[in-house]
């Protein structure tokens, strides 16, 4: 049974599950494929790190960028501690109240129809996220890394799920929520492994599937890369709707205007502030609204999607932002990131038995830690004060058993304090 579980988990990463083993009657029976994929994420990232070093002689992941990408992934899932995902909640509401027909949940035809429906819906979710500025404000998080590796796949937005659910609602008129819940996860998992430079070409599969080669183009800020290759699993949607581009010149990754910051709340939210400030420079209500509803590069007098005349010229010689910081601080940041990652994992594992107040408090601590680590990486003047405060909070949580140390020996200081308090 353990081998079967590992096999299913590995195959789920590459959309290789069969309809028979991934069709369920009730939503409650659908496995948490994404949550269970953590060991495979870690394993594949480690493999990429080793193979990349052997091939290039240099690490494909930097500590500063890797921590930021993983932090964004953690932040993006924190709302799930307090509520069911927006996509599934909205879908179930439409299904329960407005469905027109009920396709059989145990039919292979339903399974494959849902696969196509979810992937088609994702294409339009993704395309609108690039063509509507307020949606881009969420999606830009995923594009903010100037590197392209498997950690980049986990650099997700905390706000994007609050709008993406709209695009899947037509399926709720006929497709059971349990089958949708399977495919919305499998579609996301498939897109993990395509975030790598180590796989160059997959031959005939390039005509049908979204591959590392195609998705590298999507992450480029070269002029020929911008707003191309939106597909999730299938690249055929881009070929059909005129948004396909073949990989050509050396791809330079990241945002057109790189943010050069690692503080996680800034990475997640800065573009909303930019849009607000931009809208305030216009006098008419029409232009103010167009700032949010037109393309990110729109300005008065330009077409809806704007143009790229103001983009910095890409030469291919750009060097990703990688601040210099001391080795001891890097080691410190990695250790405390692993500590908060353990806390984050325990929080999801035990969320059903924890009080809402405890979950809120621990969520706040996770955000505080990731913010403080970002301050350290950015070398902000206030980073030392914020980190000292965070350490006090961490010791307090350990003292009252809200957190578990990675090793029993780490609990000695707090246990000693508790003993001293008992003697007073």
């Amino acid at each position: 049974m353990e081998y079967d579980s590992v096999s299913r988990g590995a195959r789920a990463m590459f959309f290789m599950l069969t309809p028979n083993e991934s069709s369920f009657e009730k939503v409650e029976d659908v496995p948490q494929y994404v949550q269970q994929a953590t060991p495979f994420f870690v394993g594949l990232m480690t493999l990429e790190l080793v193979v990349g070093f052997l091939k290039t002689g240099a690490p494909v992941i930097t500590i500063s960028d890797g921590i930021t990408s993983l932090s964004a992934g953690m932040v993006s899932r924190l709302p799930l501690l307090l509520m069911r995902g927006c996509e599934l909640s909205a879908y179930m509401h439409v299904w329960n109240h407005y469905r027109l027909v009920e396709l059989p949940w145990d039919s292979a035809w339903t399974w494959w129809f849902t696969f196509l429906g979810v992937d088609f819906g994702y294409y339009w979710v993704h395309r609108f996220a690039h063509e509507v500025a307020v949606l881009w404000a969420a999606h830009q998080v995923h594009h903010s890394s100037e590197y392209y590796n498997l950690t980049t796949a986990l650099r997700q937005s905390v706000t994007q799920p609050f709008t993406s659910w709209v695009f899947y609602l037509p399926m709720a008129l006929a497709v059971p929520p349990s089958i949708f819940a399977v495919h919305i996860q499998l579609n996301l998992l498939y897109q993990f492994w395509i975030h790598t430079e180590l796989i160059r070409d997959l031959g005939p599969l390039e005509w049908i599937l979204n591959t590392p080669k195609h998705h590298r183009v999507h992450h480029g800020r070269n002029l020929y890369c911008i707003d191309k290759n939106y597909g999730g699993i299938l690249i055929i949607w881009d070929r059909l709707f005129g948004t396909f581009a073949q990989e050509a010149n050396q791809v330079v990754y990241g945002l057109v205007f790189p943010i050069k910051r690692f503080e996680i709340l800034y990475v997640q939210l800065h573009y909303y502030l930019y849009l607000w400030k931009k809208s305030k420079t216009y006098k008419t209500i029409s232009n103010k609204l167009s700032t949010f509803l037109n393309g990110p590069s729109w300005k008065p007098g330009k077409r809806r999607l704007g143009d790229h005349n103001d983009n910095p010229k890409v030469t291919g010689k750009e060097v990703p932002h990688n601040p210099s910081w001391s080795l001891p601080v890097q080691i410190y940041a990695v250790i405390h990131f692993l500590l908060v990652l353990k806390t984050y994992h325990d929080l999801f594992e035990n969320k059903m038995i924890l009080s809402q107040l405890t979950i809120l408090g621990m969520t706040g601590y996770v955000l505080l830690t990731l913010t403080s680590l970002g301050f350290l990486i950015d070398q902000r003047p206030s980073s030392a004060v914020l980190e000292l405060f965070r350490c006090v909070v961490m010791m307090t949580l350990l003292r009252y058993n809200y957190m578990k140390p990675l090793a029993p020996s780490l609990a000695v200081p707090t246990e000693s304090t508790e003993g001293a308090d008992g003697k007073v």
Side-chain angles (χ1 to χ4, degrees), residues 189-366:
L189 287 178
Y190 176 90
Q191 296 178 56
F192 175 76
W193 71 273
I194 62 177
H195 289 81
T196 183
E197 292 192 285
L198 298 183
I199 300 173
R200 302 309 302 177
D201 193 292
L202 292 177
L205 294 177
E206 303 283 351
W207 284 95
I208 301 171
L209 298 177
N210 192 14
T211 64
K213 182 177 181 179
H214 296 324
H215 205 59
R216 283 193 291 270
V217 171
H218 179 72
H219 274 259
R221 63 180 191 254
N222 312 56
L223 195 57
Y224 83 92
C225 297
I226 296 175
D227 297 340
K228 300 295 183 182
N229 298 3
Y230 295 117
I233 295 177
L234 300 174
I235 202 66
I236 58 173
W237 311 120
D238 290 284
R239 296 184 184 276
L240 285 172
F241 297 115
T243 54
F244 176 75
Q246 193 73 256
E247 187 177 42
N249 303 333
Q250 172 66 36
V251 178
V252 178
Y253 303 109
L255 299 173
V256 169
F257 298 95
I259 58 174
K260 301 185 184 299
R261 291 276 290 273
F262 298 98
E263 195 274 295
I264 193 59
L265 292 181
Y266 182 86
V267 171
Q268 289 279 352
L269 304 174
H270 76 96
Y271 203 83
Y272 291 104
L273 181 60
Y274 164 76
L275 288 179
W276 176 252
K277 290 180 176 178
K278 180 181 176 182
S279 70
K280 290 177 68 176
T281 64
Y282 303 132
K283 294 182 179 180
T284 67
I285 295 295
S286 174
N287 284 341
K288 288 179 183 293
L289 290 176
S290 295
T291 301
F292 294 92
L293 300 179
N294 285 349
S297 60
W298 174 86
K299 291 180 181 178
K302 293 188 176 184
R303 61 192 181 94
R304 185 184 73 82
L305 296 181
D307 55 43
H308 306 300
N309 296 335
D310 299 328
N311 292 11
K313 184 178 180 180
V314 174
T315 64
K317 298 179 181 179
E318 288 77 6
V319 178
H321 179 57
N322 185 22
S324 176
W325 49 319
S326 67
L327 182 60
V329 178
Q330 292 185 50
I331 294 173
Y332 178 89
V334 170
I335 290 173
H336 282 270
F337 178 78
L338 292 176
L339 286 170
V340 77
L341 186 60
K342 175 66 164 57
T343 300
Y344 170 86
H345 176 75
D346 290 344
L347 195 51
F348 270 92
E349 286 289 303
N350 301 310
K351 67 177 182 178
M352 300 305 295
I353 61 174
L354 296 174
S355 69
Q356 290 282 8
L357 188 60
T358 298
I359 291 175
L360 279 172
M362 295 306 298
T363 299
Y365 170 72
V366 170

Side-chain angles (χ1 to χ4, degrees), residues 59-126:
V60 297
I61 303 170
T62 65
I63 291 177
S64 54
D65 189 76
I67 286 179
T68 305
S69 291
L70 297 177
S71 297
M74 293 166 65
V75 170
S76 73
R77 295 186 62 77
L78 286 177
L80 297 180
L81 289 168
L82 302 170
M83 61 184 183
R84 177 181 276 164
C86 289
E87 291 165 341
L88 187 56
S89 296
Y91 191 98
M92 291 182 68
H93 178 79
V94 173
W95 168 264
N96 290 331
H97 295 91
Y98 304 108
R99 68 178 180 266
L100 302 177
V101 296
E102 186 170 336
L103 296 179
W105 68 268
D106 54 352
S107 167
W109 289 104
T110 301
W111 196 91
W112 285 110
F113 174 78
T114 309
F115 156 64
L116 290 174
V118 167
D119 204 56
F120 181 73
Y122 177 80
Y123 171 86
W124 288 105
V125 167
H126 201 176

Side-chain angles (χ1 to χ4, degrees), residues 336 339-340 343-344 359-371 389-395 397-398 403:
H336 282 270
L339 286 170
V340 77
T343 300
Y344 170 86
I359 291 175
L360 279 172
M362 295 306 298
T363 299
Y365 170 72
V366 170
L367 282 173
L368 173 63
T369 301
L370 298 178
T371 299
F389 172 71
R390 187 199 70 82
C391 287
V392 171
V393 173
M394 180 182 69
M395 295 301 290
L397 293 173
L398 285 168
M403 285 173 53

